[in-house]
Amino acid sequence: MLRTLCRGGGAVFKHAVPRLCMTLTQQRWASRLPMNTVVLFVPQQEAWVVERMGRFHRMLEPGLNFLIPILDQIRYVQSLKEIVIDIPEQSAVTLDNVTLQIDGVLYLKILDPYKASYGVEDPEYAVTQLAQTTMRSELGKLTLDKVFRERESLNSNIVHSINQASDEWGIRCLRYEIKDIQVPPRVKESMQMQVEAERRKRATVLESEGTREAGINIAEGRKQALILASEGEKTEQINRAAGEAQAVLARAEAKSKAIRLLSAALAEQNGNAAASLSLAEQYVSAFSKLAKESNTVLLPSNTGDVSGMVSQAMTIYSMLAKPGLKVESTKTSTDKPSEEPPVQSASAQ
């Protein structure tokens, strides 16, 4: 029954209470209708339904009102405030056949006192039963996992279903909130095991991802190191080649300068004597290096004739130095014996 107060010109009489629904935190009393004392004061946020000779006459507005004794009677007193109804705990079966114990809180408000008075016998009881049946129906469409994930969606669906039926009663359901959902002990243990397995799975996945990222980073580092090393080696080879080229050019320029200087020196007086001295020194120096790199050497037959070797070299130089001399290449025949001087073989001890 809706909560109503008994007010009427200071005189209030009591009627029997048809039904009492009581909890530890809330008491709901039946209507106590005020007596018609001609002059009535209606409190704010209340609507008094007046009947004249058993038929609806009018609705008393808050403030001062006048009624005709005996003919007019206050039949219903409706509160226009927002009403909170505690939905008792009930059993509901989900789509995957799991039995849940669920309760909730319903918030509603009377928008039309006339419909709330004449549209249904007990609006509060009707809305409570409708909320319970709608809750069971909506839970039967969801699995256990979705019940916890889509709790807000479940509340909104229940409110929408209640409002579709309560429009004829002049009542508007504002919101519905699920207070508690109790799961069977075995199902709760299974859920805990599932949560633990999911956490272990996440830990394994994260560890594998970390290992993969570490391997990728190491491979990337090695790749960059090889690229840098190859670029460094390439640069080193380019620099070395450039250095060798510069060294070759420098040696060639030095040799060219030396040849020019030698040519100028030979053109001077006593140049042939200087050339003979230089050839003799080179001949002695060459013989001093024999048998240093290998234990087998080839020596001509006239090894001790230094003057003869120098004279022969000077003769070749003189012939090449003559102007207009043409040098022809000679071919040695394979069937004629070689005219080279005999060569002696010696082994360095």
Side-chain angles (χ1 to χ4, degrees), residues 133-172:
T133 55
T134 305
M135 184 191 303
R136 288 194 293 267
S137 176
E138 293 294 331
L139 285 176
K141 301 177 183 178
L142 302 175
T143 60
L144 180 61
D145 296 334
K146 290 186 177 180
V147 169
F148 294 98
R149 284 200 308 265
E150 301 181 4
R151 196 165 179 170
E152 184 177 355
S153 176
L154 179 62
N155 294 337
S156 62
N157 292 337
I158 293 175
V159 170
H160 179 69
S161 300
I162 292 175
N163 287 331
Q164 286 182 344
S166 62
D167 287 340
E168 299 296 329
W169 304 337
I171 299 174
R172 182 70 177 176

Side-chain angles (χ1 to χ4, degrees), residues 8-45:
V12 180
F13 67 94
K14 301 178 181 179
H15 293 278
V17 180
R19 182 173 66 235
L20 178 64
C21 180
M22 182 181 300
T23 62
L24 295 177
T25 59
Q26 185 179 16
Q27 294 181 351
R28 298 191 176 279
W29 300 90
S31 299
R32 295 180 179 180
L33 301 178
M35 183 179 61
N36 184 2
T37 58
V38 182
V39 180
L40 300 175
F41 299 95
V42 180
Q44 185 68 31
Q45 289 298 98

Side-chain angles (χ1 to χ4, degrees), residues 294-323:
S294 175
N295 55 4
T296 302
V297 294
L298 296 177
L299 298 176
S301 58
N302 54 347
T303 305
D305 190 5
V306 178
S307 59
M309 296 295 293
V310 173
S311 299
Q312 185 179 0
M314 291 301 296
T315 303
I316 296 172
Y317 167 74
S318 300
M319 293 177 63
L320 293 176
K322 290 181 180 180

Side-chain angles (χ1 to χ4, degrees), residues 51-338:
E51 293 181 354
R52 176 169 290 181
M53 293 182 293
R55 185 177 180 180
F56 173 76
H57 175 58
R58 69 189 180 96
M59 197 80 62
L60 297 183
E61 300 294 335
L64 178 62
N65 292 273
F66 298 96
L67 294 179
I68 300 175
I70 301 175
L71 296 180
D72 295 337
Q73 181 184 3
I74 302 173
R75 182 62 176 171
Y76 299 101
V77 177
Q78 304 290 357
S79 176
L80 303 181
K81 300 177 183 178
E82 185 175 348
I83 302 172
V84 182
I85 301 177
D86 188 10
I87 305 299
E89 185 179 16
Q90 61 176 339
S91 298
V93 181
T94 61
L95 185 61
D96 50 355
N97 298 325
V98 178
T99 302
L100 303 177
Q101 297 293 329
I102 187 169
D103 57 358
V105 180
L106 183 64
Y107 299 85
L108 55 86
K109 187 177 183 179
I110 296 177
L111 300 180
D112 191 344
Y114 178 81
K115 291 183 179 181
S117 301
Y118 297 101
V120 64
E121 178 64 25
D122 191 343
E124 182 179 342
Y125 179 75
V127 171
T128 302
Q129 295 301 314
L130 180 61
Q132 290 181 339
T133 55
T134 305
M135 184 191 303
R136 288 194 293 267
S137 176
E138 293 294 331
L139 285 176
K141 301 177 183 178
L142 302 175
T143 60
L144 180 61
D145 296 334
K146 290 186 177 180
V147 169
F148 294 98
R149 284 200 308 265
E150 301 181 4
R151 196 165 179 170
E152 184 177 355
S153 176
L154 179 62
N155 294 337
S156 62
N157 292 337
I158 293 175
V159 170
H160 179 69
S161 300
I162 292 175
N163 287 331
Q164 286 182 344
S166 62
D167 287 340
E168 299 296 329
W169 304 337
I171 299 174
R172 182 70 177 176
C173 180
L174 302 179
R175 57 191 176 276
Y176 181 87
E177 298 292 339
I178 297 175
K179 290 198 303 183
D180 188 19
I181 300 177
Q182 296 184 3
V183 184
R186 292 185 178 179
V187 177
K188 186 180 294 184
E189 292 177 0
S190 300
M191 292 175 64
Q192 292 178 354
M193 294 174 61
Q194 182 179 0
V195 171
E196 293 177 359
E198 185 68 23
R199 293 186 181 278
R200 287 195 298 267
K201 174 185 173 182
R202 291 181 182 177
T204 304
V205 170
L206 291 176
E207 184 178 359
S208 63
E209 289 181 354
T211 304
R212 184 187 65 180
E213 293 294 333
I216 292 174
N217 292 336
I218 293 173
E220 189 68 24
R222 291 178 178 175
K223 175 183 175 182
Q224 294 295 332
L226 291 175
I227 292 175
L228 294 176
S230 62
E231 291 180 354
E233 185 177 358
K234 175 183 176 182
T235 305
E236 182 182 359
Q237 292 178 358
I238 293 174
N239 294 335
R240 185 184 298 111
E244 291 177 356
Q246 292 179 359
V248 170
L249 290 176
R251 285 195 297 269
E253 291 178 357
K255 188 173 182 180
S256 175
K257 186 176 180 180
I259 291 174
R260 287 196 298 269
L261 293 176
L262 181 60
S263 176
L266 291 175
E268 293 179 357
Q269 188 178 3
N270 298 327
N272 293 333
S276 300
L277 178 61
S278 177
L279 289 175
E281 290 178 352
Q282 292 178 7
Y283 182 82
V284 173
S285 176
F287 270 93
S288 66
K289 294 180 180 180
L290 292 176
K292 287 187 177 181
E293 297 179 357
S294 175
N295 55 4
T296 302
V297 294
L298 296 177
L299 298 176
S301 58
N302 54 347
T303 305
D305 190 5
V306 178
S307 59
M309 296 295 293
V310 173
S311 299
Q312 185 179 0
M314 291 301 296
T315 303
I316 296 172
Y317 167 74
S318 300
M319 293 177 63
L320 293 176
K322 290 181 180 180
L325 180 64
K326 295 181 180 180
V327 180
E328 296 181 358
S329 60
T330 59
K331 296 182 181 180
T332 58
S333 177
T334 55
D335 54 351
K336 293 182 180 181
S338 178

